[in-house]
């Protein structure tokens, strides 16, 4: 293809038309009679290419702008599924304050295919609605009134269209064929017919439901007689065959309606098959003007050569210039094509005057290339201060070009000499890096990043490509086996199955062959994707927004927004023919790009790795050493040859003499926004669709600026070290190279940050998307779990973008200014990494927040947020490190603190910051406690307690809270000494008692009995004893579970309470008996007399042997069974009182012989025993019956137990029914051996 050299002043941003979520599409069935309703969105689909074209690729598409209502104002309509679906959505770029987005897509499903040339729209003055008029293939006229709420909330469509849709079968269509539809207003429309006539429809406003909704009026070019003769076969005029219809040469192929500001009339301008323009008075139906569309005089013999193809539909455009005046632009597709401009004046009486605007001047537009066949697909005319602008859309199969011509009427015959400018259409295929052993990125990850770059391919394209690929492999199944898998997982699964890891001849794994096979399969799939994606870019129409100053190209499955080039864009896209003032900087840019272009993949990746180290690893080295280190890391000097150096010196001169500091200043000026752009106060917000325009524009700009600045960094380092001789004037002798190097690094840091934001996608819940303007609140209410997929730039910072209110700057340049300001190193939009990370943490995406860590600032709050990020990743060591670093900065009290955290911190948490170290550390304690990282709770609780000042405000409450959390955390992780220390510092007796119980139970349950006994428990020992005693009393199974009896025994023995230890052993002995352990006489270690009960007797006897003989007694509780059937004791007493009485009598009898001294000692002992009897045991009621057991009694019981075991071993059993085996000895024994 030989392209003509047009100056590029504009570039486009291609927007994907995929809905934010499947639920955003509303299916509405349009049917005759009463069969209206909302249809299900589920329908049979096919994955082949034919089904893909039907579902996703529009056959007709354009944008309609409403005149009387502004929210929403612009509507994109598309015809899908073989003409049976008319899809309509709002595509406003900006919105007024308090306006709600309209994110829903309405799919109107017709019973038969529609005429794509018979679709029209209107905006009723008195109703906020969109009127849709459609004629289908069965000649039914549909008039549908779509309220604006239908585009905002799903509930508005629950009842279907109902009375909003009216169907009419025009009698006039019975013998005439409709060809074009033109809408005058919401109550009047015109259909041009195949015979050159027009059929006018006026709405019948009567309230009779049985009345016809429209009043028809037929007008013909030559009257009824001529029209009727046309129906007779041998009387027909010359016709043109089109879609099985013979069309008269007077039939209109292109129409336009204009009122020119007149209230009582309207004019229909038509371009007909006979190459003539006719102007109709809509009110009267009369033809006011007829003339050749080029104002040319033709020979009657050449009539057929001037005929226009009936498929042409975009041949006339009207630009209203003043009241009663307009400029009409016509295009003749005959020959090479030619434009003609007409000046039209009219009045209310219906008179009109048409004159050639530029007589004797021809405007033949040049095609994009001279070798290929290009056709004019559409054009638009717009106002500008310098005169009308003509925009032309050229088409060649699926390729297209957009050109612009500035018309200067005051220049006379030179009005077209300004020359055609063009729009840069990015049809280049994204570069695919080769994979090899040098590549640190996995091949699959590389391909996934390339394929799933936001906005590159639609989901339908990916699914169709995968289905076609599977069919080629022979593994495709009609019943999809990918249920539950994402499209990315399905692609990896299918392509991964095509490569197997084999072995080399040496028997080792052949990784190289595996990589090569996998790369080949990915490349095949990639090419298939590109072929399918080409079809999406087929241009269908060119639309201009008169009020917003925006140009759009509607494609089959894309919508391209045309915007003005920035200064850098113009230099880059016109490197071969730069403007005079930009020649030097263009040479510098060209030299850098050419220099880097010679790098192989390995060198390129090494250079990028070296750059990442420069961007994210702070360096304190001098500039020269820093640049030298970068050169060593990149290692590109090894691949730079003499030819590469010669090319650079040819452009920049010997010793790079054209490179100066001023030249680099010019370069940075190209990527710096104007001061006006930085100082604009935002008033009008962007809609969700408008944000997509911004995101796509930022993606393109970031990629371009990165490419240029990276090449400039490489070139600068090369030039600095290429000249070693100081006599040859190296760069550092001419200007400060280090300063330029640092500025390039700073600019690349900003771009790297934006690159991450425009390629990273988030799934934002609908309710969150509302706050960002992505969805309507009513939609969010309806589906709280619905999510929208947006880029991080849109989801996290979309609310920061907007335009000045009432700005007269056209959108195509305002968007460029905003994007340039966003990408500039000195941007007015500060990307606060900490706030972005807050938003990601709020959306539960700590993985993405971690990726932003290299961009984080070093202020206290940013450092604190890094700690939150690592905390969410459960990297507690690193989180604690950052929290400690931020402690001083976030503890200092500030007068004015901006509380911005994207909702991550609530007011309670904010109040703990900048209010002293104790509060700050208590906040950190809470964070770690939520994560159950108790060792860090202990650490920061200590720090909080360390800085608590006695007497300070809230110091008491902070101390209590921190002690509580310190105790809980310490006990949880078995740091019992720490928990014990915290317990002793508590002054709240109730709290202390509660935590003491928790500590004792925890230590017992975890087997830390030795440590429990070793802890001092200053002042709390009785309470510990009480807690253990309660546990012992509550225990039923003393052999399993926590051995509370043994623990309490050890506790009391360690505190020299031998009788207390003996008492708890007696309780355990009783429970062992009740459990039947005394009957298990198999013995332990082979000894029949060694049982749990006998062992317990020995422990009990041993404990009482450790006290003086006069104190060797304990009290035993009498069980209810023993109360009912008392067993006599050998000493004759059956309870403690009787035993004391017997003992008193025995002492009285012995006193006479032993003297007075013994009498006094015995009396004292007797009184002591009686007083002990009157004191209830711990934990027992005072009324509980007990009896006294001395060491002698226990020894006798022990002997009885041994005798019982021996008797059983000798097969001797008691015959007494009431004897329990532990009572008296007056029983009959029988030897059964």
């Amino acid at each position: 293809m030989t392209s003509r050299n047009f100056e590029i002043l504009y570039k486009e941003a291609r927007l994907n038309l995929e809905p934010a979520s499947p639920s955003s599409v509303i299916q509405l069935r349009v049917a005759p009679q009463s069969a209206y309703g909302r249809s299900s969105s589920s329908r049979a689909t096919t994955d082949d290419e034919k089904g893909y074209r039907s579902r996703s690729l529009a056959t007709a598409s354009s944008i309609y702008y409403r005149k009387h209502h502004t929210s929403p104002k612009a509507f994109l309509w598309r015809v899908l599924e073989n003409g049976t679906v008319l899809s309509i959505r709002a595509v406003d770029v900006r919105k007024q304050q308090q306006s709600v987005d309209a994110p829903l897509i309405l799919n109107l499903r017709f019973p038969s295919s529609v005429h794509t040339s018979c679709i029209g729209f209107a905006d009723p003055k008195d109703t906020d609605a969109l009127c849709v008029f459609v004629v289908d293939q069965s000649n039914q006229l549909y008039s549908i009134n779509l309220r604006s709420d239908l585009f905002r909330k799903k509930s508005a469509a629950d009842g279907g269209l109902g009375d909003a849709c009216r169907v009419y079968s025009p009698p006039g269509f019975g013998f005439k064929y409709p060809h074009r539809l033109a809408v005058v207003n919401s109550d009047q429309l015109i259909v041009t017919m195949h015979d050159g006539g027009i059929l006018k429809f006026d709405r019948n406003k009567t309230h009779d439901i049985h009345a016809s909704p429209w009043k028809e009026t037929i007008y013909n070019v030559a009257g009824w007689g001529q029209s009727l003769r046309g129906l007779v076969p041998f009387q027909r005029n010359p016709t043109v065959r089109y879609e099985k219809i013979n069309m008269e040469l007077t039939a209109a192929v292109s129409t336009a309606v204009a009122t020119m500001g007149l209230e009582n009339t309207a004019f229909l301008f038509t371009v007909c098959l006979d190459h003539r323009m006719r102007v109709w008075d809509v009110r009267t139906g009369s033809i006011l003007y007829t003339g050749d569309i080029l104002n040319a005089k033709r020979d009657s013999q050449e009539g057929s050569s001037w005929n226009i193809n009936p498929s042409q539909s975009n041949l006339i455009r009207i630009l209203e210039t003043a009241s009663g005046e307009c400029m009409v632009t016509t295009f003749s597709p005959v020959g090479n094509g030619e434009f003609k401009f007409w000046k039209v004046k009219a009045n209310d009486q219906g008179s009109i005057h048409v004159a050639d605007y530029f007589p004797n001047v021809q405007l033949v537009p040049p095609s994009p290339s001279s070798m290929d066949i290009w056709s004019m697909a559409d054009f638009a005319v717009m106002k500008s201060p310098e005169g009308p602008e003509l925009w032309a859309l050229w088409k060649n199969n699926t390729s297209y070009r957009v050109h612009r011509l500035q018309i200067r009427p005051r220049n006379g015959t030179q009005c077209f000499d300004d020359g055609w400018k063009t729009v840069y259409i990015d049809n280049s295929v994204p570069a695919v890096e080769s994979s090899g052993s040098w590549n640190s990125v996995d091949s699959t990850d590389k391909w996934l990043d390339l394929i799933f770059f936001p906005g590159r391919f639609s989901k339908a394209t990916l699914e169709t490509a995968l289905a076609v690929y599977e069919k080629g492999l022979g593994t495709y199944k009609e019943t999809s086996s990918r249920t539950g898998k994402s499209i990315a997982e399905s692609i990896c699964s299918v392509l991964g199955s095509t490569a197997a890891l084999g072995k080399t001849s040496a028997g080792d794994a052949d990784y190289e062959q595996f990589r090569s096979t996998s790369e080949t399969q990915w490349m095949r799939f990639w090419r298939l994707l590109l072929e399918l994606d080409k079809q999406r870019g087929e241009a269908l129409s060119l639309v201009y927004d008169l009020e917003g100053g925006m140009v759009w190209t509607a494609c089959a499955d894309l919508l391209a927004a045309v915007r003005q080039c920035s200064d850098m864009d113009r230099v880059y896209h016109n490197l071969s023919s730069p403007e005079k003032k930009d020649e030097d900087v263009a040479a510098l840019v060209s030299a850098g790009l050419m220099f880097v272009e010679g790098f192989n993949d390995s060198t390129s990746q090494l250079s990028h790795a070296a750059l990442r180290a420069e961007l994210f690893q702070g360096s304190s080295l001098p500039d020269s050493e820093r640049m030298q280190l970068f050169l060593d890391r990149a290692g590109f000097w090894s691949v730079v040859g003499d030819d590469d150096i010669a090319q650079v010196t040819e452009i920049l001169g010997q010793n790079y003499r054209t490179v100066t500091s001023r030249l680099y200043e010019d370069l940075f000026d190209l990527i710096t926004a104007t001061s006006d752009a930085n100082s604009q106060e935002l008033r009008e917000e962007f809609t969700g669709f408008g944000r997509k325009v911004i995101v796509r524009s930022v993606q393109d700009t970031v990629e371009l600026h990165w490419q240029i600045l990276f090449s400039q960094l490489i070139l600068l380092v090369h030039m600095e070290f290429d000249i070693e001789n100081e006599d040859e004037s190296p760069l550092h002798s001419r200007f400060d190279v280090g300063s330029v190097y640092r500025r390039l690094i700073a600019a690349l840091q900003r771009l790297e940050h934006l690159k991450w934001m425009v390629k990273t996608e988030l799934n934002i819940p609908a309710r969150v998307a509302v706050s960002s303007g992505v969805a309507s609140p009513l939609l969010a209410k309806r589906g709280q779990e619905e999510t929208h997929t947006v880029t991080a730039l849109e989801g996290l910072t979309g609310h920061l973008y907007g335009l000045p209110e009432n700005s007269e700057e056209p959108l195509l340049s305002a968007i460029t200014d905003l994007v340039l300001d966003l990408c500039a190193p000195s941007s007015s939009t500060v990307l606060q990494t900490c706030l972005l990370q807050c938003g990601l943490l709020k959306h539960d995406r700590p993985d993405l927040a971690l990726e932003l860590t290299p961009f984080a600032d070093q202020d206290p709050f940013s450092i604190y947020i890094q700690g939150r990020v690592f905390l969410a990743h459960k990297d507690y060591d690193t989180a604690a490190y950052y929290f400690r670093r931020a402690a001083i900065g976030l503890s200092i009290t500030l007068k004015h603190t901006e509380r911005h955290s994207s909702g991550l911190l609530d007011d309670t948490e904010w109040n703990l910051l900048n209010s002293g170290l104790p509060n700050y550390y208590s906040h950190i304690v809470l964070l770690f406690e939520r994560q159950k990282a108790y060792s860090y709770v202990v650490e920061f609780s200590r720090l909080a307690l360390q800085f608590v000042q006695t007497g300070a405000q809230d110091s008491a409450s902070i101390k209590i809270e921190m002690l509580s959390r310190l105790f809980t955390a310490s006990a949880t992780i078995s740091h019992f000494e720490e928990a014990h220390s915290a317990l002793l510092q508590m002054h709240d007796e109730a709290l202390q008692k509660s935590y003491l119980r928790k500590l004792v139970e925890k230590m017992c349950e975890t087997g830390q009995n030795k440590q429990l006994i070793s802890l001092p428990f200053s002042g709390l020992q009785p309470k510990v004893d009480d807690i253990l005693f309660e546990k012992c009393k509550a225990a039923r199974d003393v052999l399993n579970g926590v051995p509370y009896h043994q623990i309490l025994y050890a506790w009391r023995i360690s505190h020299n309470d031998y009788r207390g230890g003996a008492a708890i052993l007696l309780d355990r002995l009783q429970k062992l008996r009740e459990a039947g352990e005394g009957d298990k006489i198999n013995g332990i270690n082979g000894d029949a007399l060694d049982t749990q009960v006998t062992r317990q007797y020995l422990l009990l006897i041993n404990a009482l042997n450790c006290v003086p003989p006069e104190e060797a007694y304990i009290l035993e509780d009498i069980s209810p069974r023993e109360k009912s059937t008392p067993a006599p004791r050998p000493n004759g007493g059956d309870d403690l009182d009787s035993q004391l009485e017997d003992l008193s009598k025995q002492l009285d009898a012995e006193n006479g012989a032993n003297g007075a001294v013994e009498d006094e000692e015995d009396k004292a002992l007797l009184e002591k025993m009686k007083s002990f009897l009157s004191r209830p045991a711990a934990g027992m009621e005072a009324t509980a019956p007990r009896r006294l057991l001395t060491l002698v009694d226990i020894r006798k019981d022990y002997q009885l137990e041994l005798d019982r075991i021996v008797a059983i071993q000798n097969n001797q059993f008691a015959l007494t029914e009431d004897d329990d085996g532990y009572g008296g000895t007056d029983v009959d024994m029988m030897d059964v051996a």
Side-chain angles (χ1 to χ4, degrees), residues 3 65 67 80 129 132 238 341 516 532 739 753 794 841 846 964 1012 1146:
S3 299
Y65 288 92
K67 298 179 181 179
L80 301 168
V132 183
F341 298 88
S516 176
L532 287 174
S739 175
H753 197 171
E794 179 183 355
L841 292 176
S964 299
L1012 173 67
Q1146 181 180 357

Tab-separated table of all heavy atoms in Angstrom, residues 3 65 67 80 129 132 238 341 516 532 739 753 794 841 846 964 1012 1146:
chain	number	residue	atom	x	y	z
A	3	SER	N	0.823	4.872	0.854
A	3	SER	CA	0.018	5.844	1.589
A	3	SER	C	0.465	7.248	1.241
A	3	SER	O	1.650	7.517	1.034
A	3	SER	CB	0.147	5.622	3.102
A	3	SER	OG	-0.313	4.342	3.448
A	65	TYR	N	-28.040	12.237	19.000
A	65	TYR	CA	-27.955	13.237	20.060
A	65	TYR	C	-29.311	13.914	20.233
A	65	TYR	O	-29.887	14.435	19.268
A	65	TYR	CB	-26.894	14.296	19.731
A	65	TYR	CG	-25.482	13.782	19.843
A	65	TYR	CD1	-24.834	13.241	18.730
A	65	TYR	CD2	-24.792	13.821	21.044
A	65	TYR	CE1	-23.537	12.758	18.835
A	65	TYR	CE2	-23.500	13.340	21.143
A	65	TYR	CZ	-22.885	12.810	20.036
A	65	TYR	OH	-21.597	12.327	20.133
A	67	LYS	N	-31.955	16.794	21.410
A	67	LYS	CA	-31.884	18.256	21.329
A	67	LYS	C	-32.429	18.944	22.570
A	67	LYS	O	-31.964	20.019	22.944
A	67	LYS	CB	-32.666	18.744	20.107
A	67	LYS	CG	-32.126	18.250	18.778
A	67	LYS	CD	-32.972	18.765	17.623
A	67	LYS	CE	-32.450	18.267	16.287
A	67	LYS	NZ	-33.284	18.734	15.144
A	80	LEU	N	-28.043	-5.873	15.484
A	80	LEU	CA	-27.347	-7.138	15.712
A	80	LEU	C	-28.242	-8.316	15.350
A	80	LEU	O	-29.437	-8.165	15.093
A	80	LEU	CB	-26.930	-7.257	17.186
A	80	LEU	CG	-25.999	-6.171	17.744
A	80	LEU	CD1	-25.929	-6.276	19.253
A	80	LEU	CD2	-24.606	-6.301	17.138
A	129	ALA	N	-37.683	11.316	27.231
A	129	ALA	CA	-37.717	9.980	26.639
A	129	ALA	C	-37.019	10.019	25.295
A	129	ALA	O	-36.663	11.077	24.767
A	129	ALA	CB	-39.157	9.493	26.482
A	132	VAL	N	-38.204	5.983	19.282
A	132	VAL	CA	-37.537	5.125	18.307
A	132	VAL	C	-38.566	4.728	17.250
A	132	VAL	O	-39.660	4.269	17.583
A	132	VAL	CB	-36.961	3.864	18.977
A	132	VAL	CG1	-36.206	3.021	17.962
A	132	VAL	CG2	-36.053	4.243	20.142
A	238	PRO	N	-36.960	4.529	-16.500
A	238	PRO	CA	-35.731	3.776	-16.231
A	238	PRO	C	-35.592	3.509	-14.735
A	238	PRO	O	-35.858	4.376	-13.902
A	238	PRO	CB	-34.624	4.709	-16.741
A	238	PRO	CG	-35.296	5.551	-17.756
A	238	PRO	CD	-36.703	5.754	-17.288
A	341	PHE	N	-20.650	22.338	-1.757
A	341	PHE	CA	-21.251	23.068	-0.634
A	341	PHE	C	-22.303	24.032	-1.174
A	341	PHE	O	-22.086	24.733	-2.183
A	341	PHE	CB	-20.171	23.839	0.142
A	341	PHE	CG	-19.137	22.940	0.758
A	341	PHE	CD1	-18.002	22.563	0.039
A	341	PHE	CD2	-19.284	22.455	2.038
A	341	PHE	CE1	-17.059	21.737	0.594
A	341	PHE	CE2	-18.343	21.621	2.590
A	341	PHE	CZ	-17.224	21.258	1.874
A	516	SER	N	9.364	-24.353	23.213
A	516	SER	CA	9.167	-24.065	21.795
A	516	SER	C	7.782	-24.501	21.319
A	516	SER	O	7.089	-23.767	20.612
A	516	SER	CB	10.253	-24.765	20.976
A	516	SER	OG	10.038	-24.588	19.596
A	532	LEU	N	-9.953	-12.537	14.039
A	532	LEU	CA	-11.322	-12.272	14.487
A	532	LEU	C	-11.494	-10.819	14.904
A	532	LEU	O	-12.536	-10.205	14.662
A	532	LEU	CB	-11.681	-13.195	15.657
A	532	LEU	CG	-11.919	-14.669	15.333
A	532	LEU	CD1	-12.125	-15.462	16.613
A	532	LEU	CD2	-13.126	-14.830	14.417
A	739	SER	N	21.275	15.970	35.757
A	739	SER	CA	19.937	16.557	35.950
A	739	SER	C	18.943	16.004	34.938
A	739	SER	O	17.805	15.677	35.284
A	739	SER	CB	20.027	18.081	35.834
A	739	SER	OG	18.743	18.660	35.890
A	753	HIS	N	3.941	3.950	37.124
A	753	HIS	CA	2.787	3.900	38.036
A	753	HIS	C	1.477	3.852	37.234
A	753	HIS	O	0.590	3.043	37.524
A	753	HIS	CB	2.811	5.132	38.942
A	753	HIS	CG	1.948	4.985	40.153
A	753	HIS	ND1	1.942	5.881	41.185
A	753	HIS	CD2	1.044	4.031	40.506
A	753	HIS	CE1	1.092	5.487	42.112
A	753	HIS	NE2	0.538	4.371	41.713
A	794	GLU	N	-9.616	3.673	36.709
A	794	GLU	CA	-11.014	4.095	36.742
A	794	GLU	C	-11.651	3.839	38.100
A	794	GLU	O	-12.376	4.688	38.627
A	794	GLU	CB	-11.798	3.361	35.655
A	794	GLU	CG	-13.265	3.709	35.601
A	794	GLU	CD	-14.009	2.909	34.552
A	794	GLU	OE1	-13.363	2.154	33.801
A	794	GLU	OE2	-15.238	3.029	34.486
A	841	LEU	N	-7.184	-2.401	49.625
A	841	LEU	CA	-7.434	-3.168	50.838
A	841	LEU	C	-8.918	-3.176	51.174
A	841	LEU	O	-9.454	-4.182	51.652
A	841	LEU	CB	-6.628	-2.591	51.999
A	841	LEU	CG	-5.106	-2.735	51.917
A	841	LEU	CD1	-4.443	-2.024	53.087
A	841	LEU	CD2	-4.703	-4.201	51.897
A	846	PRO	N	-5.413	-7.303	48.684
A	846	PRO	CA	-4.075	-7.008	49.199
A	846	PRO	C	-2.973	-7.396	48.228
A	846	PRO	O	-1.868	-6.869	48.293
A	846	PRO	CB	-4.005	-7.824	50.497
A	846	PRO	CG	-5.003	-8.920	50.315
A	846	PRO	CD	-6.103	-8.329	49.481
A	964	SER	N	-5.357	-6.046	79.502
A	964	SER	CA	-6.289	-7.117	79.141
A	964	SER	C	-5.859	-7.808	77.863
A	964	SER	O	-5.852	-9.050	77.770
A	964	SER	CB	-7.701	-6.547	78.986
A	964	SER	OG	-8.147	-5.972	80.192
A	1012	LEU	N	2.939	-23.500	86.457
A	1012	LEU	CA	1.881	-22.940	87.293
A	1012	LEU	C	2.304	-22.915	88.754
A	1012	LEU	O	2.094	-21.922	89.462
A	1012	LEU	CB	0.601	-23.767	87.120
A	1012	LEU	CG	-0.567	-23.423	88.047
A	1012	LEU	CD1	-1.106	-22.032	87.736
A	1012	LEU	CD2	-1.685	-24.453	87.913
A	1146	GLN	N	-11.608	-41.084	126.575
A	1146	GLN	CA	-10.320	-41.758	126.699
A	1146	GLN	C	-9.295	-40.844	127.361
A	1146	GLN	O	-8.507	-41.267	128.202
A	1146	GLN	CB	-9.830	-42.199	125.307
A	1146	GLN	CG	-8.513	-42.928	125.321
A	1146	GLN	CD	-8.083	-43.347	123.911
A	1146	GLN	OE1	-8.816	-43.132	122.965
A	1146	GLN	NE2	-6.921	-43.948	123.839
